[in-house]
Amino acid sequence: MSMLTPPGMGGKYKVTGAAYPRMTRPRRRRRIVLVVLGSIIGLALIAYGAVQLIDVFGGDADKRKTAAAAKDCATPAPKAGSAASAAPQVVLPPPGGITVNVYNATPRAGLAKAVGDELKNRGFAIGKVGNAPADFDKKVPGAGILVGSPQTDKAAFSVLGTNLAGATQQTDTRETADIDLILGDAFKELTPKADADKALAALANPQPAPAKKC
């Protein structure tokens, strides 16, 4: 019997040799550790690549924006009065092509005639002059109302409106191109002719958009 064999154990349990047998550790735990480490490394590589792509494309976009802004600032703005700076001129109907009916919706006698005469002196064609219709008489709290057909040229309203600041606009069922000017309780006087002419010139020659500041 070998010295390695415990007493009482022989036969198939007999241990021979000069060393004890070694027990191998299970390999499953080692495989799990390797899989986890591989997954962590893979995720780290994917995240790094995504960051690099964002930096590349984001940087290119920023460079393009900076280059475009520098180009805009490098181009000198056209001088005032030059052909490049002038906005397209708007064609407005002349005052003589606008027929105005002047109605007085206030208790002030003779107001419609006085305003009609002044508008005539400013070049407008004057139609009817008198007291306002019952729908408006003593019912206009503002400076005045401009009433016309839905088909009336909007520019005609604008031209007449330069002579009465604060006048509102509305339409009715008429089919003619004339416009009613109904004077309200807040009316004091027409816009001074010099100011009306300036407003008319601004309508005909709109200012271009301001240049971008760098």
Side-chain angles (χ1 to χ4, degrees):
M1 180 180 297
S2 172
M3 295 179 65
L4 299 177
T5 304
M9 295 182 64
K12 64 179 180 180
Y13 299 104
K14 183 178 180 180
V15 178
T16 61
Y20 289 102
R22 296 189 178 185
M23 304 297 291
T24 58
R25 302 177 66 179
R27 298 181 179 180
R28 182 178 301 175
R29 183 179 301 174
R30 182 182 303 172
R31 185 178 301 172
I32 293 175
V33 171
L34 291 176
V35 171
V36 171
L37 288 176
S39 300
I40 294 174
I41 294 173
L43 291 175
L45 290 175
I46 293 173
Y48 178 78
V51 171
Q52 295 300 315
L53 289 175
I54 292 173
D55 289 342
V56 169
F57 290 105
D60 290 343
D62 293 339
K63 289 179 181 178
R64 287 194 294 269
K65 291 180 181 179
T66 302
K71 183 178 180 181
D72 291 341
C73 294
T75 303
K79 296 181 179 180
S82 65
S85 65
Q89 189 173 15
V90 178
V91 179
L92 299 174
I98 303 174
T99 299
V100 184
N101 304 314
V102 185
Y103 295 111
N104 181 14
T106 75
R108 298 158 57 184
L111 186 60
K113 184 178 184 308
V115 172
D117 291 343
E118 178 60 26
L119 289 175
K120 184 177 180 179
N121 291 335
R122 299 185 183 189
F124 290 92
I126 303 302
K128 300 177 181 179
V129 176
N131 293 325
D135 292 342
F136 294 97
D137 191 27
K138 311 297 189 301
K139 299 175 184 178
V140 181
I145 301 176
L146 305 181
V147 184
S149 166
Q151 286 74 39
T152 300
D153 187 357
K154 302 302 181 184
F157 280 107
S158 299
V159 171
L160 180 57
T162 61
N163 294 270
L164 182 56
T168 59
Q169 301 177 11
Q170 66 183 63
T171 59
D172 57 14
T173 58
R174 77 184 68 191
E175 298 180 354
T176 55
D178 57 329
I179 299 176
D180 295 347
L181 170 55
I182 304 175
L183 304 172
D185 294 336
F187 176 82
K188 295 182 179 179
E189 62 180 0
L190 293 174
T191 302
K193 188 176 185 306
D195 294 338
D197 290 342
K198 290 180 181 179
L200 188 61
L203 288 176
N205 300 279
Q207 295 297 317
K212 181 188 295 184
K213 294 183 179 180
C214 299

